[in-house]
Amino acid sequence: MNEIPIIENVLKLNDDVAADNRRRLNELGVFTIDLIGSPGCGKTTLLEQTLRRLSGEYNIGVIVGDLATTRDAARLHRWCEHIVQINTDRGCHLEAHQIRRALDRLDVERLDILIIENVGNLICPVGFDLGQDVKVGMFSVTEGDDKAAKHPHLVCLADLILLNKVDLAGAVLFDEAQFNSDVARLNAEVPVMKIDAVHGRVDPWLEWLRNSGLSHRHTMTEAMLG
Amino acid sequence: MNEIPIIENVLKLNDDVAADNRRRLNELGVFTIDLIGSPGCGKTTLLEQTLRRLSGEYNIGVIVGDLATTRDAARLHRWCEHIVQINTDRGCHLEAHQIRRALDRLDVERLDILIIENVGNLICPVGFDLGQDVKVGMFSVTEGDDKAAKHPHLVCLADLILLNKVDLAGAVLFDEAQFNSDVARLNAEVPVMKIDAVHGRVDPWLEWLRNSGLSHRHTMTEAMLG
């Protein structure tokens, strides 16, 4: 009887801090994304493209989670000044209190969009609310067409699914129909967007980000005026 | 002061059960491997090739961990009758008590080699002893050449590093020298083997398995005779 109450307390504490983060970010009108995917699915490459293409339009902040190294943050720093790296050592996911501390290190007031690049892991980050507005689940074709079916909790909770490295789909015999039907069975609402981040083919994602970010700011402004 | 003692108890309990598993498997002369890698790095494809090529020489058992689905076990069942699937639901790694229960479902007495395909995750499985003789860390070039540096705990603990999908190294601009130097910095002893499992180019791995498995059985037999 010892373990489960403790685990619940940890999650409850996390959720309380996440709610604080969400309130703070919403009051400032910062549209916040929790980006979850495998190691090497292309999260950092996607963010490089995103910053390169959108940094003239929006102030974008990035919080990067990794066990070790600051390589991702260094890659992104070329395009963006609002970056915090969180090194988790053995930690397999980010938690809300880490985001709270990271927010203190960012000029949050100046941001339009905040993207949290979670630790590369399709499992553990899913259960931890960080205070984000949306969760984005990212897969790549080189991981295989069975990965949506094998990670149902992420697919069920995701507001958007990105499928990256589609230029390699032929080389790895990726069965797109299988992947799409697994996603649809688990979450009938969630859109799936095919991208090829390394070659800059990320237009649907940028469009989604523009629309979601804009509509979010609009809703927040109305809520505050009303 | 509440959390850390509990976590230590969980790990201590796991280690005790792992020691039991190890004793049981060693007494039976079963060479046991804990195979750890990202989702989609090619673990199941490697096992398909291994079973296809070695099942005439050895009795090989496989324990497969996954959050959901029995797709991996179904793929392997074509080549092997000694298979147990463990579905962890939200569990991000296998633990020793799950292996103990799986051993009860296998004809362990008849096995020469047992391969445990851990849940696709480069982080959480690393800290949990299952009772294996060796840990094998598996990466694929499509994940990027920074993945050894980003997962130092796995590299430090691994007895062998497999680098899969080397046929795609050019397409994804994989920097092999960077990868190798990161591995060598973290673990000067560990061999790195390049393979291409989907096209059956896995000879170095099969040779390693033959040598390790044989020398293991030999050592165990001598220990029992002595």
Side-chain angles (χ1 to χ4, degrees):
Chain A
M1 290 297 292
N2 251 342
E3 292 165 43
I4 290 174
I6 297 288
I7 290 168
E8 283 178 351
N9 285 350
V10 169
L11 281 176
K12 173 75 170 61
L13 184 64
N14 182 77
D15 286 352
D16 290 347
V17 177
D20 282 345
N21 292 346
R22 183 171 289 112
R23 201 174 304 119
R24 181 171 168 190
L25 290 161
N26 276 345
E27 280 174 9
L28 295 168
V30 183
F31 179 61
T32 303
I33 296 166
D34 181 9
L35 178 61
I36 298 175
S38 273
C41 73
K43 297 183 291 300
T44 310
T45 303
L46 175 69
L47 293 189
E48 286 180 295
Q49 296 288 352
T50 306
L51 294 170
R52 190 174 67 82
R53 300 272 296 273
L54 294 189
S55 56
E57 293 174 57
Y58 300 103
N59 277 314
I60 303 179
V62 181
I63 299 173
V64 183
D66 265 315
L67 269 65
T69 84
T70 54
R71 293 185 188 189
D72 288 357
R75 284 167 62 185
L76 298 173
H77 197 60
R78 295 165 59 202
W79 310 103
C80 170
E81 58 185 311
H82 309 287
I83 295 190
V84 174
Q85 171 102 28
I86 300 173
N87 279 349
T88 62
D89 188 22
R90 285 164 206 270
C92 50
H93 59 272
L94 292 174
E95 298 192 10
H97 67 90
Q98 295 168 312
I99 301 304
R100 179 170 58 188
R101 281 200 296 273
L103 294 180
D104 293 337
R105 306 289 298 273
L106 289 167
D107 272 343
V108 193
E109 296 73 14
R110 291 177 52 201
L111 298 184
D112 304 304
I113 295 171
L114 174 65
I115 306 181
I116 303 166
E117 180 185 335
N118 218 312
V119 178
N121 183 334
L122 282 173
I123 307 170
C124 317
V126 178
F128 285 81
D129 186 8
L130 304 179
Q132 75 286 338
D133 294 299
V134 292
K135 275 186 199 285
V136 174
M138 185 162 176
F139 297 89
S140 58
V141 301
T142 50
E143 297 162 41
D145 44 43
D146 56 353
K147 291 304 170 293
K150 286 184 161 196
H151 299 89
H153 305 299
L154 174 57
V155 175
C156 288
L157 284 175
D159 300 282
L160 172 68
I161 299 282
L162 295 174
L163 179 61
N164 192 25
K165 310 192 190 179
V166 293
D167 56 312
L168 295 171
V172 299
L173 303 176
F174 185 84
D175 183 343
E176 192 184 331
Q178 174 73 64
F179 181 86
N180 286 338
S181 91
D182 286 336
V183 171
R185 176 174 53 78
L186 291 161
N187 184 345
E189 305 295 321
V190 69
V192 177
M193 280 176 196
K194 299 199 288 181
I195 58 172
D196 167 10
V198 85
H199 299 110
R201 300 198 184 92
V202 296
D203 284 353
W205 152 256
L206 296 181
E207 204 51 34
W208 178 89
L209 200 52
R210 280 191 188 97
N211 290 334
S212 303
L214 279 179
S215 77
H216 178 75
R217 285 180 77 83
H218 185 66
T219 310
M220 286 301 120
T221 312
E222 282 198 331
M224 279 188 285
L225 290 175
Chain B
M1 291 298 293
N2 251 341
E3 291 163 44
I4 289 171
I6 297 287
I7 288 169
E8 283 177 352
N9 285 348
V10 169
L11 280 176
K12 173 76 172 58
L13 184 64
N14 181 78
D15 287 351
D16 289 347
V17 178
D20 283 344
N21 293 344
R22 183 170 290 112
R23 202 175 303 119
R24 181 172 169 189
L25 289 160
N26 276 344
E27 279 173 9
L28 295 168
V30 183
F31 180 60
T32 303
I33 295 166
D34 181 10
L35 179 62
I36 298 175
S38 273
C41 72
K43 296 182 292 301
T44 310
T45 302
L46 176 68
L47 294 189
E48 286 180 295
Q49 296 287 352
T50 306
L51 295 170
R52 189 174 70 80
R53 299 273 294 276
L54 293 189
S55 56
E57 294 173 55
Y58 300 102
N59 277 314
I60 304 178
V62 181
I63 298 173
V64 184
D66 263 316
L67 270 67
T69 83
T70 55
R71 292 184 190 191
D72 288 355
R75 283 168 62 186
L76 298 173
H77 197 59
R78 295 165 58 202
W79 309 105
C80 171
E81 57 184 312
H82 309 287
I83 295 190
V84 173
Q85 170 103 31
I86 301 173
N87 278 349
T88 62
D89 187 22
R90 286 164 205 268
C92 49
H93 59 272
L94 292 175
E95 299 192 10
H97 68 90
Q98 296 168 313
I99 301 304
R100 179 169 60 186
R101 281 201 296 275
L103 294 180
D104 294 336
R105 306 290 298 275
L106 288 167
D107 273 342
V108 193
E109 296 74 11
R110 291 179 52 202
L111 297 183
D112 305 303
I113 295 171
L114 174 65
I115 306 180
I116 303 167
E117 180 185 335
N118 218 312
V119 177
N121 183 332
L122 282 174
I123 307 167
C124 317
V126 178
F128 285 82
D129 187 8
L130 304 179
Q132 74 287 335
D133 295 299
V134 292
K135 276 187 199 280
V136 174
M138 187 163 175
F139 297 90
S140 59
V141 300
T142 50
E143 297 162 41
D145 44 43
D146 57 353
K147 291 305 170 294
K150 285 184 163 195
H151 298 89
H153 304 301
L154 174 57
V155 175
C156 288
L157 284 175
D159 300 283
L160 172 68
I161 299 283
L162 294 174
L163 179 61
N164 192 24
K165 310 191 189 179
V166 292
D167 56 312
L168 295 172
V172 298
L173 303 176
F174 184 84
D175 183 341
E176 192 185 329
Q178 174 73 66
F179 181 84
N180 286 338
S181 91
D182 286 337
V183 171
R185 176 175 51 79
L186 291 162
N187 183 344
E189 305 295 320
V190 69
V192 177
M193 281 176 195
K194 299 198 289 181
I195 57 172
D196 168 10
V198 84
H199 299 109
R201 301 197 184 96
V202 296
D203 284 353
W205 153 255
L206 297 182
E207 205 52 35
W208 178 89
L209 201 51
R210 280 191 189 98
N211 291 333
S212 304
L214 279 178
S215 77
H216 179 74
R217 284 179 79 82
H218 185 65
T219 310
M220 287 300 120
T221 312
E222 283 197 332
M224 279 188 285
L225 291 175

